[in-house]
Each structure stands twice: as structure tokens, then as C-alpha cells.
Amino acid sequence: MIVIQAKDYDEMSLKAYEAMKIVLTEKPEAVLGLATGSTPIGLYKCMIADYKAGAVSYKNTTSINLDEYVGLPVTHPESYRSFMNRNLFDHIDIKPENTHVPDGLAEDLQKAADEYTAFAAAHPIDVQILGIGANGHIGFNEPGTPFDSHTHVVTLKEGTRRDNARFFDNDISLVPTHAVTLGMQDIMNAKAVILLASGAGKADAVAKMIKGPVSTDCPASILQTHPNVLVVTDEAAGYYLN
Ligand code: F6R
């Protein structure tokens, strides 16, 4: 595990992009594992700016997103499909049909989840972008999720819903109670992982991920056992590392 402590959000985003660009340059048909939330937006801005500058192309890439809320129409502005279109896909040359987000509206959610696992297995992720929850979750794999899990439906923890209420008019009752997420094993199957963490609220989770025991109590701690992980924090999120 390599850890870079950037001074602020913009430097964190740029450092993560520099690492990602190596993969994009070496493998134009790379499979990108993507995340939503506040943390990767700066990275996505770097990707868009460099694409607009003509330095990279996404026309041969495939993307596989980590998660999606259950029951939220894809047209809802806070669905993760909408998020990805708005913050990345609409601004680069990735083919819409090559972008994949779990189906949170399927009649049989677990069947759709199993198909998503099979798709990810058939299209191994070259670089997985991750944020981290204040409780150490990655994707929506909340504490206690088995390390050998695949795509599944999760009941979101109250704290996670509270953290995400900022996207839903600060009204926790509007935050979906369930989500579909790639499992821990699917994430660990990625060839490389870039995890970004920003802000003091992540400092404790970052310290547990890097220095704590490998335990399902802090799902991200499993990354200690992955052979190719880059963690990029800003100063606040890396506070306990020194
Ligand atoms: C998002 C995801 C989550 C977030 C995490 C941090 O697709 O899988 O694990 O990365 O909840 O969210 P932010 O970046 O909003 O603090």
C-alpha cells in the first residue's frame, strides 16, 4: 500500500488522476471501476479537463460503478446513474453503452446483482476508484460485510444515510434505506485500487484502514492485503497517519 498525503482536496484529486492516467495511457481499453459521492468529483474534473485538452480518450474504456440506491428512479438527480452522467460521462467520450451502474430497480434485485458480479468477473477492473465512509465502508459494504461477498443488496446504516442526507435536502427520510453494491471480493479482484479520502470526518477510518487490524469492523482494512493500492488523502483525512 502506497500512501500519499496531499495538502488539500485539489492536490489529492490531481495525484489520484496522475496515477489513473498511467493506466489509461498504458491501456486505452481499460476497465475503470468508479465511485460516486463528494470525494471523486475533483478527480472526475481532472479526467474531463485532460480529455478536453486532447491528452486522453475514453472511447475504448468500459466503466463499472460500485453501487446504486434501491428504488430511486434513474432519472432522480441523486441516483448514482444521474450522478455519473452529470459529473463525468456527459463530458468525456466514453460510449454510454460501455458504462455500467448496478440496477436498483430490478424486480429481482439479487438476480440483477448476480449478473453484475458475472459482468465484473468477465471484465476485470484495471483500476478501481474508491472513497471511504466515515465507518470504513467501501462501496456500500458496511462494517460486518464478509470479505468474500459479491454484489448484493445492503441495508444502509443510519450513519451512512445521515451522511448522505446532504444530497437529499438534509432530510434523512428521503435517503433510500437500501442499495446494491459490488461486494468486497469483487472490489479486491481489481488489479489496482486508488482510494481517495478527504476531510477530518474520514481521518479515523483512514487510520483504521491503514494501521488497524484487518477486520470486517473496518471493511477498507482488507486493502492492506491487496498487492496494488494507492491511498491519497488530503491533510485532514491523513491527520492520524503521522
Ligand atoms: C460511493 C461509495 C461510497 C463513498 C463513501 C464516501 O459510490 O461507494 O463508499 O465512496 O460513502 O462518500 P463521500 O465521498 O461522499 O464522502
Side-chain angles (χ1 to χ4, degrees), residues 64-240:
I64 299 182
N65 256 82
L66 281 169
D67 38 24
E68 180 57 284
Y69 288 118
V70 167
L72 213 54
V74 285
T75 51
H76 188 289
E78 296 310 331
S79 78
Y80 285 169
R81 163 54 76 181
S82 293
F83 175 100
M84 290 308 299
N85 289 348
R86 186 168 66 243
N87 288 295
L88 184 63
F89 299 151
D90 288 350
H91 310 285
I92 58 175
D93 61 346
I94 193 166
K95 295 185 184 116
E97 64 271 27
N98 288 351
T99 66
H100 303 272
V101 178
D103 185 353
L105 294 170
E107 209 165 296
D108 186 339
L109 285 168
Q110 191 51 53
K111 181 164 168 279
D114 291 345
E115 286 164 9
Y116 204 72
T117 296
F119 184 82
H123 300 81
I125 293 171
D126 290 293
V127 58
Q128 174 68 59
I129 303 302
L130 294 176
I132 184 169
N135 62 6
H137 73 215
I138 49 177
F140 271 138
N141 293 286
E142 300 281 30
T145 307
F147 287 144
D148 61 359
S149 57
H150 293 289
T151 313
H152 61 287
V153 179
V154 295
T155 305
L156 296 174
K157 298 269 187 215
E158 167 105 16
T160 299
R161 293 180 64 231
R162 210 178 311 117
D163 286 348
N164 286 359
R166 67 191 193 280
F167 300 113
F168 292 85
D169 298 332
N170 287 314
D171 182 349
I172 191 171
S173 73
L174 299 178
V175 183
T177 53
H178 293 79
V180 184
T181 183
L182 268 187
M184 295 299 292
Q185 183 64 61
D186 306 313
I187 293 172
M188 287 296 283
N189 286 347
K191 292 177 200 160
V193 174
I194 303 174
L195 183 142
L196 297 91
S198 168
K202 305 294 174 67
D204 188 46
V206 167
K208 287 192 177 121
M209 162 177 70
I210 295 174
K211 298 178 165 180
V214 175
S215 158
T216 57
D217 292 346
C218 175
S221 64
I222 190 69
L223 295 172
Q224 290 176 28
T225 70
H226 190 288
N228 189 357
V229 176
L230 172 66
V231 175
V232 193
T233 74
D234 64 8
E235 206 168 84
Y239 185 75
Y240 296 121

